[in-house]
């Protein structure tokens, strides 16, 4: 089957591409011309340059395509404003949906758990797939939520009028290559472990999902009959707070020791209950393979903190 | 390798099966209580099996019967050449004297089959005895003695913890509290099957730490508050509790089976507490946690159409808040009558309403509301076409960078933001339903302004924002006067300030040239979207909590006090007369009377 991936160099798109490399699908990617050099597996895929706002480029890119993975959606680092969110997430999706109408059989879209109603306090847990949506949070999160809800509605309404089937994935915080959130958190904590308290308060309980697991969820969502025209939360099993991140970092850096000084405070700050339960994907046989510890190990290894003079290690975060 | 699980259909059996299957064991599960049939076929069931697990032999049958079954299973297992049998027993077997020196080891005395022991204890002892009877065969026997589990699927375990949570310490059994998570029991069972040196041994399997009844009560009650009350922030972090000496020694299991519990007491307790709170919520003892959505969002999300068949007029519907409002009302089922100057944008709005399956088709009138003649024409068209308008949204608004007079001789800010609303409302009032709504979009900016009857057209010292604030002040006065006139016999009158909204209102009409307005554009990222503003506005006519109220003023989604300066009856009456005169001046015929 011929498949198209939009946003193939992004935090999620690259893992969807990676997952597709293990299938026998013929893969075509649709990417901005200036991001082509950042796409992996360039020798094994077909490249279609263009932007979503350009119907002609989309028309060419969609030739013979039966399945589309739409991962070209953005979420705001502090500098992205509402207009850009609207342009990429809403207008981009609208343009793609119009081009896909009646041509592709299923569109798998990567939305975000940001679209759900506020779910911060433990009395609301666990959040599941069909929780109602309401944009919320600070102005940037609000704008992101609004743009994603609009983009989702475009897809839902197109499916209602028979344009194609969809599968709407809503991942929690994405970990993996090109995931600034996890990297920033770890960088802040390794420079100043005492920031854990304020970061715990800010982010409270998180359930990261690694790109690898989102990739496998996307493939499942593209094929599984029970996931046709469904909305799905994508989340790992493990609820963690900033204190758990510190504690896990200590474990990674102190292999074989069991006197983790952060274990107790991490356990005190963790309610121990999952915030998200991806019921639909679990019922379809999906579960996350990457633990929070794997995600942290990956970042620590990649950023080479061991050699960084900027990292201010507390005496008890011993290296080796 | 074939493995047989004999249980009573518990979740533990299913968990064990799920744990064994990835290890490439061929797992067969049979319900021991399914009746005589299992016993009749026991030879067939056990043939070729490598190991057999006997979980929860079941207390619902008479003891003798279970004992007899146990004996049959064991002899069948020996006949079938099963290598190992693993019995899940219970720590109730230990006699009351066992804990004399503190921690109970596997060698501690167990109950005899005497009258002093509890029924469950006597039963467990008889099962163990039957398990070990005829131990002269080649069958390897492993026994795990396990306390009650933290099993959220087990109603007995949950109801015990529930009474402790609610009644406190008096519901606790005496002594330290030491239990086990089912997931950890599963891994212990798997080890008991795989570790060869375990043969013939009895193991205590429990979490390695224990807590006192006081700690148990405090923690369950903390979890109860945290999981039922969104404001229980002081309960968010668990205090550090002291640990007790464990009741059951687990060092033998740790040495031989390499048993290391992965689940902490605290997360296991939290799981059970969550289950208790779910039950309490179902029974209505804990407040409902269904998210409280604004009425508009709830209706959109559930696709309900509270405005089905209702006609809603929206002015300024081709961009900004008005466009979003038109789409939103249409998604709520309303037949939207959109009014705007830009016919192209109007056509694209109608196209959207037609195309989207969630929307209801509407209609569009092109009119420049700064001109009374066009307002009149619009009003006549509306009155001719509609006899029952459900809601009128006077949304059209504008600012002008420099002072502009309309061809009819009215200052443009005043004309668009106030006079058009006055004129249109009074003209179509007779076709607005008595149960309907008149919604005027105002601005908090009116509060720091006033109205100078001597200079309604800001001819002295024109400032765009000041002129806008004055017009909105007049709109507030008009709303209050209209509320008075209509009282309870006519449509409700509502005013709302949508807040700072990310629209183009400050980018048009040469406003870019005004440096004092640049600060607003720099704050765009902190403004709300037109869509959110529209949801505040639409909420006014949907929200049941606001239904009975007329003459209210909302700042976004909060009801706030109306500025007293806008309610002066004499000034309001004067403004009404002046407005009528102005409309009359720009037209040739008078405005209809409002009774």
């Amino acid at each position: 089957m011929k498949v198209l991936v939009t946003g193939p160099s992004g935090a999620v798109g690259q893992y969807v591409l990676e997952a597709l490399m293990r299938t026998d699908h013929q893969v075509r990617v649709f990417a901005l011309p200036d991001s082509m050099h950042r796409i992996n597996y360039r020798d094994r895929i077909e490249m279609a340059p263009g932007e979503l706002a350009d119907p002609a480029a989309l028309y060419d890119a969609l030739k013979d395509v039966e399945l589309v993975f739409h991962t070209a959606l953005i979420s705001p680092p502090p500098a992205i404003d509402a207009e850009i969110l609207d342009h990429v997430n809403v207008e981009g999706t609208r343009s793609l949906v119009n081009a896909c109408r009646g041509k592709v059989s299923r569109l798998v879209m990567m939305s975000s758990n940001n679209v759900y109603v506020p779910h911060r306090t433990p009395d609301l847990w666990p959040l599941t797939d069909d929780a109602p949506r309401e944009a919320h949070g600070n102005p940037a999160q609000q704008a992101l939520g609004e743009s994603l809800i609009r983009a989702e509605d475009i897809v839902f309404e197109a499916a209602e009028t028979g344009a194609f089937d969809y599968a709407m994935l809503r991942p929690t915080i994405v970990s993996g290559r090109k995931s600034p959130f996890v990297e920033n958190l770890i960088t802040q904590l390794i420079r100043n472990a005492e920031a854990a308290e304020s970061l715990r308060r800010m982010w409270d309980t998180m359930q990261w999902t690694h790109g690898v697991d989102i990739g496998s969820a996307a493939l499942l969502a593209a094929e599984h009959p029970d996931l046709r025209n469904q909305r799905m939360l994508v989340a790992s099993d493990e609820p963690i707070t900033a204190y758990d991140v510190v504690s896990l970092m200590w474990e990674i850096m102190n292999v074989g020791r069991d006197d983790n000084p952060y274990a107790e405070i991490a356990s005190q700050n963790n309610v121990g209950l999952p915030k998200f339960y991806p019921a639909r994907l679990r019922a379809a046989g999906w579960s996350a393979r990457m633990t929070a510890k794997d995600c942290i190990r990956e970042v620590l290894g990649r950023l080479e903190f061991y050699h960084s003079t900027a990292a201010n290690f507390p005496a008890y975060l011993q290296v080796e | 390798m074939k493995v047989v699980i004999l249980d009573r259909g518990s979740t533990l059996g299913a968990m064990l099966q799920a744990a064994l299957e990835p290890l490439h064991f061929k797992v067969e599960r049979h319900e021991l209580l399914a009746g005589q049939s299992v016993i009749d076929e026991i030879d067939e069931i056990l043939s070729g099996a490598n190991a057999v697990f006997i979980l929860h032999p079941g207390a619902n049958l008479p003891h003798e019967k279970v004992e007899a079954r146990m004996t049959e299973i064991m002899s069948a297992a020996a006949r079938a050449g099963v290598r190992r049998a693993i019995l899940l027993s219970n720590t109730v077997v230990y006699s009351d004297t066992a804990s004399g020196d503190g921690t109970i080891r596997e060698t501690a005395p167990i109950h005899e089959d005497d009258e002093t022991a509890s029924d469950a204890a006597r039963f467990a002892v008889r099962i163990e005895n039957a398990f070990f009877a005829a131990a002269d065969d080649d069958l390897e026997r492993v026994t795990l003695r396990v306390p009650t589990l933290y099993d959220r699927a087990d109603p007995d375990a949950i109801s015990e913890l529930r009474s402790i949570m609610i009644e406190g310490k008096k519901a606790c059994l005496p002594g330290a509290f030491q239990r086990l998570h089912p997931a950890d029991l599963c891994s212990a069972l798997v080890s008991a099957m795989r570790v060869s040196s375990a043969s013939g041994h009895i193991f205590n399997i429990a979490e390695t730490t224990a807590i006192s009844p006081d700690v148990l009560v405090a923690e369950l009650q903390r979890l109860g508050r945290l999981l039922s009350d969104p404001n229980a922030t002081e309960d968010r972090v668990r205090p550090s509790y002291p640990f007790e000496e464990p009741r059951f020694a687990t060092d033998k299991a740790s040495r031989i089976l390499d048993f290391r519990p992965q689940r902490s007491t605290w997360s296991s307790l939290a799981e059970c507490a969550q289950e208790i709170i779910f039950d309490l919520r179902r029974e209505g003892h804990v407040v409902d946690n269904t998210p409280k959505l604004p009425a508009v969002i709830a209706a959109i999300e559930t696709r309900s159409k509270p405005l089905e068949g209702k006609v809603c007029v929206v002015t300024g519907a081709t961009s900004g808040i008005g466009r979003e409002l038109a789409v939103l009302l249409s998604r709520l089922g309303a037949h939207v009558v959109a009014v705007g100057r830009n016919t192209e944008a109007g056509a694209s709005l109608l196209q959207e309403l037609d195309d989207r399956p969630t929307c209801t088709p509407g209609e569009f009138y092109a009119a420049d509301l700064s001109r009374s003649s066009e307002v009149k024409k619009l009003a006549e068209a509306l009155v001719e076409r509609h006899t029952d308008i459900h809601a009128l949204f006077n949304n059209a608004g504008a600012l002008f960078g420099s002072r502009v007079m309309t061809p009819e001789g009215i200052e443009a800010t005043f004309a668009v933001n106030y006079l058009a609303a006055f004129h249109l409302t009074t003209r179509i009032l007779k076709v607005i339903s008595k149960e309907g709504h008149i919604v005027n979009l105002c601005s908090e900016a009116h509060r720091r302004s006033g109205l100078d009857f001597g200079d309604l057209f800001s001819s002295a010292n024109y400032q765009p924002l000041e002129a806008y604030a004055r017009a909105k002040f007049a709109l507030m006065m008009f709303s209050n006067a209209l509320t008075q006139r209509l009282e309870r016999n006519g449509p409700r009158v509502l005013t709302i300030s949508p807040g700072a909204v990310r629209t183009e209102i400050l980018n048009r009409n040469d406003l870019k040239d005004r440096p004092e307005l640049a600060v607003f554009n720099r704050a765009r990222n902190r403004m709300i979207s037109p869509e959110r503003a529209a949801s505040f506005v639409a909420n006014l006519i949907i929200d049941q909590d606001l239904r009975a109220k007329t003459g209210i003023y909302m700042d976004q989604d909060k009801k706030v006090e109306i500025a007293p300066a806008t309610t002066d009856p004499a000034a309001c009456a004067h403004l009404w007369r002046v407005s009528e005169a102005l409309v009359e001046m720009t037209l040739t015929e008078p405005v209809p009377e409002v009774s």
Side-chain angles (χ1 to χ4, degrees):
Chain A
M1 196 193 294
K2 186 155 255 178
V3 306
L4 183 74
V5 181
T6 68
S9 63
V12 172
Q14 59 174 324
Y15 288 104
V16 172
L17 185 58
E18 195 170 297
L20 281 168
M21 288 300 112
R22 274 178 251 119
T23 67
D24 54 4
H25 293 317
Q26 294 162 271
V27 180
R28 187 185 287 157
V29 299
F30 187 72
L32 292 172
D34 62 358
S35 75
M36 300 294 246
H37 62 288
R38 281 189 263 121
I39 300 168
N40 301 327
Y41 310 106
R42 288 196 291 277
D43 53 341
R44 293 160 64 184
I45 57 177
E46 209 181 318
M47 314 272 277
E51 63 173 317
L52 288 172
D54 177 2
L58 270 175
Y59 180 85
D60 292 341
L62 282 165
K63 189 166 185 297
D64 302 328
V65 166
E66 287 175 65
L67 174 63
V68 173
F69 293 93
H70 180 32
T71 70
L73 294 121
I74 54 172
S75 57
I80 287 190
D81 61 31
E83 269 90 2
I84 296 178
L85 284 170
D86 196 67
H87 175 73
V88 178
N89 292 353
V90 184
E91 297 313 319
T93 302
R94 193 190 309 280
S95 173
L96 178 67
V97 163
N98 286 338
C100 290
R101 187 175 288 276
K103 282 189 193 157
V104 304
S105 61
R106 198 177 285 195
L107 179 102
V108 180
M109 178 168 140
M110 285 298 160
S111 181
S112 156
N113 77 324
N114 203 299
V115 300
Y116 287 116
V117 287
H119 42 266
R120 188 181 170 94
T121 51
D123 62 311
L124 302 169
W125 300 352
L127 187 90
T128 52
D129 307 287
D130 287 329
R133 300 174 305 168
E134 188 195 8
H136 63 270
N138 65 34
Q141 288 164 337
Q142 170 88 31
L144 172 66
E146 281 170 358
S147 72
L148 289 175
I149 287 175
R150 288 193 150 208
E152 286 192 354
D153 280 340
I154 291 168
V155 172
F156 297 154
E157 288 176 18
E160 267 170 60
T161 52
F164 42 66
D165 290 338
Y166 68 85
M168 188 63 67
L169 296 175
R170 294 167 174 164
T172 57
I173 291 168
V174 180
S175 170
R177 299 187 293 267
K178 217 175 165 180
S179 163
F181 179 88
V182 174
E183 279 175 25
N184 283 344
L185 193 73
I186 289 174
T187 315
Q188 284 182 57
L189 287 171
I190 206 161
R191 292 196 174 154
N192 175 18
E194 280 165 20
E197 179 56 26
S198 60
L199 288 169
R200 201 284 288 163
R201 282 168 188 275
M202 189 185 302
W203 298 107
D204 209 278
T205 302
M206 306 172 277
Q207 247 168 285
W208 299 346
T209 318
H210 195 274
V212 164
D213 292 316
I214 302 180
S216 64
L219 285 201
L220 191 67
E223 278 159 19
H224 202 289
D226 293 349
L227 302 183
R228 177 178 160 264
N229 291 347
Q230 297 292 347
R231 302 125 206 237
M232 285 149 280
L233 188 57
V234 190
S236 71
D237 306 331
E238 217 177 341
I240 54 168
T241 70
Y243 279 110
D244 289 297
V245 176
V246 179
S247 168
L248 291 168
M249 280 188 335
W250 191 93
E251 279 181 26
I252 292 164
M253 294 182 190
N254 297 275
V255 177
R257 287 175 60 177
D258 57 4
D259 53 341
N260 186 342
Y262 297 104
E264 180 55 22
I265 194 165
S267 141
Q268 280 178 345
N269 277 277
N270 196 331
V271 186
L273 294 170
K275 187 176 191 175
F276 304 104
Y277 183 67
R280 223 160 245 147
L281 279 172
R282 294 296 283 275
W286 176 88
S287 66
R289 287 193 296 122
M290 298 289 275
T291 62
K293 197 169 175 178
D294 295 330
C295 298
I296 296 169
R297 190 183 285 118
E298 183 190 19
V299 174
L300 287 177
R302 184 168 67 247
L303 296 187
E304 299 187 358
F305 280 111
Y306 298 88
H307 307 291
S308 167
T309 50
N312 174 20
F313 282 72
Y316 37 80
L317 267 176
Q318 287 176 18
V319 182
E320 280 156 3
Chain B
M1 278 198 290
K2 179 173 158 183
V3 174
V4 176
I5 301 173
L6 299 173
D7 70 339
R8 55 172 185 191
S10 62
T11 47
L12 184 66
M15 279 177 79
L16 182 58
Q17 181 169 16
L20 285 168
E21 271 166 354
L23 304 171
H24 304 291
F25 287 103
K26 189 167 158 285
V27 184
E28 273 186 28
R29 263 182 83 200
H30 296 279
E31 282 199 28
L32 210 51
L33 288 184
Q36 195 59 34
S37 60
V38 172
I39 295 303
D40 291 343
E41 294 166 15
I42 191 74
D43 281 309
E44 198 179 317
I45 289 171
L46 290 177
S47 79
N50 204 275
V52 55
F53 288 95
I54 304 162
L55 314 177
H56 304 301
N60 308 12
L61 287 178
H63 295 181
E64 290 73 24
K65 200 157 182 192
V66 179
E67 216 175 330
R69 280 190 180 188
M70 195 70 198
T71 315
E72 279 196 61
I73 292 168
M74 295 311 287
S75 53
R79 278 198 302 280
V82 176
R83 196 171 58 80
R84 183 172 288 191
I86 300 104
L87 175 70
L88 179 66
S89 183
N90 199 302
T91 50
V92 294
V93 296
Y94 290 114
S95 81
D96 304 331
T97 57
S99 58
D101 60 339
T103 307
I104 300 175
R105 310 196 151 274
E106 287 82 351
T107 50
I110 63 169
H111 281 295
E112 300 303 319
D113 193 359
D114 53 31
E115 295 299 319
T116 59
S118 71
D119 201 42
R122 283 162 62 194
F123 178 62
V125 169
R126 289 177 78 155
I127 295 288
E128 277 198 12
N129 289 341
F131 184 68
F132 278 109
D136 50 348
D137 50 40
D138 291 337
L139 186 62
E140 299 176 358
R141 290 168 167 82
V142 182
T143 309
L144 305 185
R145 287 180 183 154
V146 177
T148 314
L149 298 179
Y150 291 115
D151 186 355
R152 65 188 303 171
D154 176 5
D156 295 340
I158 293 298
S159 75
E160 187 200 342
L161 290 172
R162 174 172 162 162
S163 46
I164 294 172
M165 184 193 279
I166 292 166
E167 291 158 32
K169 204 177 164 183
K170 63 173 184 277
C172 288
L173 295 169
F177 188 85
Q178 187 181 9
R179 295 198 161 177
L180 183 66
H181 194 278
D184 285 327
L185 175 56
C186 258
S187 49
L189 283 166
V190 174
S191 309
M193 182 191 77
R194 303 179 89 183
V195 175
S196 57
S197 56
S199 167
H201 284 288
I202 296 173
F203 298 98
N204 286 341
I205 303 288
E207 56 184 356
T208 47
T209 51
I211 53 174
S212 70
D214 291 319
V215 170
L216 178 66
V217 171
E219 174 63 3
L220 276 176
Q221 292 184 344
R222 179 189 78 93
L223 287 165
R225 291 191 296 273
L226 183 67
L227 298 177
S228 60
D229 180 3
N231 302 315
T233 41
E234 67 278 19
D235 289 312
R236 173 62 184 78
V237 178
R238 193 184 67 238
S240 17
Y241 295 118
F243 279 106
E244 292 279 293
E245 275 293 294
R247 269 183 83 193
F248 305 107
T250 54
D251 57 322
K252 186 178 171 190
S254 136
R255 222 170 39 246
I256 297 178
L257 297 180
D258 196 24
F259 170 66
R260 303 268 184 281
Q262 301 295 311
R263 302 298 191 103
S264 77
T265 310
W266 313 118
S267 65
S268 309
L269 272 178
E271 279 184 14
C272 295
Q274 191 177 40
E275 204 61 43
I276 295 169
I277 296 296
F278 286 168
D279 286 343
L280 289 172
R281 192 172 282 137
R282 263 193 295 276
E283 295 159 19
H285 299 305
V286 166
V287 286
D288 185 34
N289 69 340
T290 319
K292 308 267 178 305
L293 294 172
V296 166
I297 293 179
I300 294 280
E301 283 297 291
T302 57
R303 297 275 182 104
S304 61
K305 307 260 182 197
L307 296 179
E308 184 130 47
K310 305 273 169 71
V311 176
C312 292
V313 180
V314 181
T315 66
T318 48
S319 68
I321 302 173
R323 192 179 200 286
E324 294 297 333
L325 183 59
V327 174
L328 197 56
L329 293 169
S330 156
R331 289 179 74 181
L332 294 168
H335 173 91
V336 173
V337 178
V339 178
R341 273 181 307 167
N342 185 339
T343 43
E344 230 169 80
S348 113
L349 171 66
L350 288 191
Q351 189 68 47
E352 178 170 349
L353 299 190
D354 275 341
D355 289 349
R356 289 179 64 169
T358 49
C359 287
T360 318
E363 55 194 277
F364 176 74
Y365 290 97
D368 178 355
L369 297 184
S370 68
R371 300 182 185 212
S372 292
S373 54
E374 296 212 14
V375 174
K376 177 167 172 263
K377 243 177 18 201
L378 167 70
E380 282 165 358
L382 287 176
V383 169
E384 190 181 326
R385 228 181 103 74
H386 297 286
T387 52
D388 189 22
I389 290 174
H390 181 66
L392 165 65
F393 293 90
N394 285 309
N395 162 73
L399 278 87
F400 297 87
S402 53
R403 189 164 172 271
V404 182
M405 297 301 277
T406 66
E408 294 167 342
I410 313 280
E411 191 270 317
T413 319
F414 189 79
V416 176
N417 293 291
Y418 165 66
L419 200 58
F422 170 83
H423 189 184
L424 183 64
T425 309
T426 47
R427 256 186 202 279
I428 68 168
L429 197 53
K430 58 176 178 278
V431 291
I432 299 179
S433 146
K434 291 271 178 286
E435 292 77 42
H437 319 265
I438 296 165
V439 182
N440 292 327
L441 272 86
C442 199
S443 162
E444 274 290 273
H446 83 271
R447 281 188 193 276
R448 54 189 178 84
S449 184
L451 196 62
D452 178 1
F453 282 107
D455 185 19
L456 286 178
F457 298 163
S458 307
S459 56
N461 187 22
Y462 177 84
Q463 297 286 339
L465 274 180
E466 179 56 24
Y468 180 74
R470 284 181 194 181
K472 291 297 188 192
F473 191 92
L475 187 62
M476 275 308 291
M477 286 173 76
F478 164 60
S479 310
N480 295 335
L482 193 62
T483 310
Q484 292 298 317
R485 290 189 184 220
L486 296 173
E487 283 184 358
R488 300 268 158 200
N489 313 320
R492 301 160 67 207
V493 182
L494 305 153
T495 41
I496 181 169
S497 159
V501 186
R502 221 183 291 124
T503 61
E504 295 302 307
I505 193 166
L506 291 172
N507 292 334
R508 294 188 177 133
N509 304 329
D510 304 327
L511 287 159
K512 288 267 191 204
D513 303 340
R514 309 284 303 205
E516 77 268 24
L517 297 180
V519 61
F520 292 102
N521 271 324
R522 280 202 296 274
R524 274 181 95 71
N525 273 346
R526 275 175 279 137
M527 292 180 180
I528 63 167
S529 63
E531 174 184 356
R532 188 161 155 81
S535 80
F536 293 140
V537 178
N539 213 35
L540 287 176
I541 68 164
I542 302 282
D543 195 335
Q544 293 299 327
D545 295 345
L546 299 173
R547 281 304 301 215
K549 298 179 180 129
T550 179
I552 54 171
Y553 173 59
M554 306 281 289
D555 182 12
Q556 300 197 332
D557 50 354
K558 286 176 195 62
K559 186 169 174 291
V560 289
E561 287 303 309
I562 293 176
T566 61
T567 57
D568 174 26
C572 287
H574 184 58
L575 176 67
W576 196 290
R577 285 194 301 276
V578 170
S579 310
E580 280 176 338
L582 285 174
V583 171
E584 208 170 333
M585 179 190 89
T586 52
L587 300 166
T588 46
E589 58 190 83
V591 193
E593 276 293 311
V594 178
S595 54

